[in-house]
Amino acid sequence: MNERILTGITTTGIPHLGNFLGAIKPALEFQSTDNDTYFFLADYHSIIKQQDPNLIIESVKSVAMAWLASGLDPNVSKIYRQSDIPEITELQWILNCVTAKGLMNRSHAYKDAVAKNIELNADEDKSITMGLFSYPVLMSADILMFNANKVPVGNDQLQHLEMTRDIALRFNHIYGETFVIPEAIVNEDTKIIPGLDGRKMSKSYGNIIPLLSDEKTLNKAIKKIVTNSLEPGEPKEYENCNLFNIFSSFADDQAVNNMKQAYAEGIGWGDAKEQVFSYLNQIILPIREKYFELLDSPSEIEEILISGAGKVRPQASELLSEIKDKIGIRTIS
Ligand code: TRP
C-alpha cells in the first residue's frame, strides 16, 4: 500500500554526525517512489527555544543543506518549510479548541520544565511560554494537515504522537470523520551515537563530529577523540573504547571486525584514528561535495523549499476549507 510518511525536523543547531546517523539517514531510507514522503523544516517549533533570529535562519539553512546533501531528493520527496504553509498554524488554532488543557499538562517537555523550576525553588511557570506548553498541538497540526499515516520519530516524540491521535479522534468525534489517525514508526535500534568524550554526541556537550565540514576540520575532530595512554604495540580492548564505539556506529561489519583485529594486534591510537578518519571521510565525501555546492548558491535552497511548499500547499488549503466548513466558519448564505 502507498504510505504517506511525514516527519519534521526542528531547526535548532547545526546538524552533526550524530544527527546524520541517528535521524537523517534512517528517515531517508523511507524515501522511495512507492511511498509518499514529506520532510519539513519545523521552523515555527524552533522559535520556542531559540530567540536569536540569526541563529534561527542559520539553522534553517544548515538543516536544509544537510538533508539535501545527504540524499533527500526534492523530485521524489516533498520538502518544505512549516512557515510557508500558513494553513498549519491556522489549523493549530482550531485544534487548540478541541484539545484538553489536561492533556497538555501531561506533556513530558512541559512537566520537565516545571520540575526544573521547582527544583530551583523558582516559580513553577518561570520561563515557560505558551509555545512550549502547546508545542504538541502545533505538531499535531503538522501531521494532521497532510493526513499522514506513518510518522517516523525518535522515542522522545512518542508521547506527542499519542497526543496527536487523541486530538484527531476528539475532532473526528465532534465534527465527523476528518483526520487520518497517524501511527508512529520508532526505529528501535537507533543507537546513541557517542561523541568525542564518550557521552552522547550533542552540541551542548561540545563533543560533536561535524557533518558539514571540510576534510581538515573532520580530521581535526577525529584526532580529538579521547583514548587512553596505551602505546603502539600494546594490545587494546575495544569494549568500552570510545574511538571504537564511534567507528562502529557507521562502519560495516567487515570494517568493524578488521578494527577489532587491529586492536588485538596493538595498533597505535594515531593509526587507528587515521583509519577511522579515512573510512568516515569516504562516507562524507559525496555529502560534502553537494554541501559546498549548496553553500555557494543559497537561492537554490530557497527555490527548492518554495517549490516544495507549492506542491503541498494546495492539499493543505483544501483540507482546511473542508474543516472550516465543518466547524461553521463559512460564508453567510
Ligand atoms: N518535535 C519533533 C522533534 O523535536 C519535530 C517535529 C515537529 C515533528 N513537527 C513534527 C516530527 C511532526 C514529526 C512530525 O523531533
Side-chain angles (χ1 to χ4, degrees):
M1 196 191 82
N2 204 303
E3 306 269 26
R4 179 156 307 168
I5 296 168
L6 174 148
T7 198
I9 313 120
T10 306
T11 49
T12 38
I14 310 298
H16 52 68
L17 183 68
N19 301 129
F20 172 73
L21 297 171
I24 304 179
K25 198 163 161 259
L28 288 180
E29 276 160 19
F30 291 105
Q31 175 174 265
S32 94
T33 38
D34 297 337
N35 291 326
D36 212 3
T37 35
Y38 287 55
F39 299 110
F40 71 95
L41 308 176
D43 51 352
Y44 272 140
H45 272 114
S46 69
I47 60 169
I48 294 171
K49 286 199 189 142
Q50 179 56 260
Q51 296 183 327
D52 179 331
N54 294 323
L55 293 183
I56 294 286
I57 187 60
E58 189 194 355
S59 176
V60 169
K61 183 177 171 190
S62 309
V63 171
M65 288 193 293
W67 283 73
L68 291 166
S70 303
L72 193 158
D73 181 347
N75 296 314
V76 178
S77 294
K78 317 276 197 299
I79 175 167
Y80 55 95
R81 217 170 0 205
Q82 186 184 35
S83 60
D84 285 332
I85 319 292
E87 288 80 4
I88 295 173
T89 34
E90 217 174 321
L91 177 60
Q92 189 203 358
W93 177 256
I94 299 171
L95 297 179
N96 264 329
C97 298
V98 299
T99 302
K101 173 175 175 282
L103 184 68
M104 295 300 102
N105 286 343
R106 292 197 285 279
S107 153
H108 297 314
Y110 166 68
K111 281 194 351 193
D112 287 353
V114 172
K116 215 173 261 164
N117 281 335
I118 293 175
E119 207 180 286
L120 296 170
N121 273 327
D123 182 280
E124 294 202 348
D125 286 327
K126 182 162 187 258
S127 308
I128 299 177
T129 63
M130 286 305 294
L132 178 72
F133 186 67
S134 56
Y135 180 112
V137 191
L138 180 55
M139 185 158 157
S140 302
D142 292 331
I143 298 169
L144 301 176
M145 186 84 269
F146 295 106
N147 281 326
N149 53 342
K150 295 277 159 67
V151 183
V153 282
N155 246 318
D156 60 323
Q157 298 295 315
L158 270 182
Q159 191 197 29
H160 294 150
L161 254 291
E162 279 311 310
M163 290 172 160
T164 303
R165 294 160 63 89
D166 271 8
I167 295 169
L169 287 167
R170 183 84 195 125
F171 186 96
N172 287 355
H173 176 74
I174 302 172
Y175 295 109
E177 216 47 45
T178 306
F179 295 123
V180 170
I181 309 301
E183 272 170 46
I185 313 180
V186 181
N187 183 356
E188 290 301 345
D189 59 35
T190 320
K191 311 161 258 193
I192 297 211
I193 315 296
L196 301 177
D197 57 359
R199 291 186 292 173
K200 179 184 176 189
M201 190 181 292
S202 158
K203 187 184 157 212
S204 49
Y205 294 148
N207 65 357
I208 64 142
I209 296 174
L211 174 67
L212 307 176
S213 67
D214 58 25
E215 205 169 292
K216 224 169 116 193
T217 314
L218 181 67
N219 201 355
K220 240 164 112 183
I222 304 281
K223 289 216 170 93
K224 279 197 210 141
I225 296 173
V226 180
T227 52
N228 60 27
S229 54
L230 289 177
E231 298 287 335
E234 293 184 83
K236 300 176 176 63
E237 308 228 329
Y238 62 84
E239 290 99 340
N240 301 321
C241 171
N242 188 32
L243 181 65
F244 181 84
N245 289 340
I246 292 175
F247 184 63
S248 54
S249 67
F250 54 77
D252 64 21
D253 291 351
Q254 165 95 47
V256 169
N257 284 335
N258 291 346
M259 189 60 90
K260 282 183 186 168
Q261 179 80 23
Y263 269 51
E265 288 166 1
I267 187 173
W269 290 128
D271 288 345
K273 286 180 177 179
E274 195 49 45
Q275 287 191 19
V276 171
F277 163 72
S278 50
Y279 193 100
L280 179 57
N281 197 40
Q282 285 306 311
I283 297 179
I284 289 190
L285 218 62
I287 301 176
R288 181 185 294 135
E289 234 168 68
K290 180 78 188 156
Y291 158 62
F292 280 119
E293 194 188 304
L294 291 166
L295 193 63
D296 276 345
S297 54
S299 60
E300 191 185 327
I301 310 171
E302 185 62 30
E303 273 163 32
I304 291 171
L305 295 178
I306 294 293
S307 135
K311 286 182 204 157
V312 302
R313 204 169 163 202
Q315 296 167 40
S317 75
E318 192 186 321
L319 181 59
L320 185 66
S321 305
E322 222 180 278
I323 290 168
K324 283 168 77 174
D325 188 61
K326 282 187 180 171
I327 63 177
I329 305 285
R330 46 168 107 113
T331 29
I332 299 170
S333 60

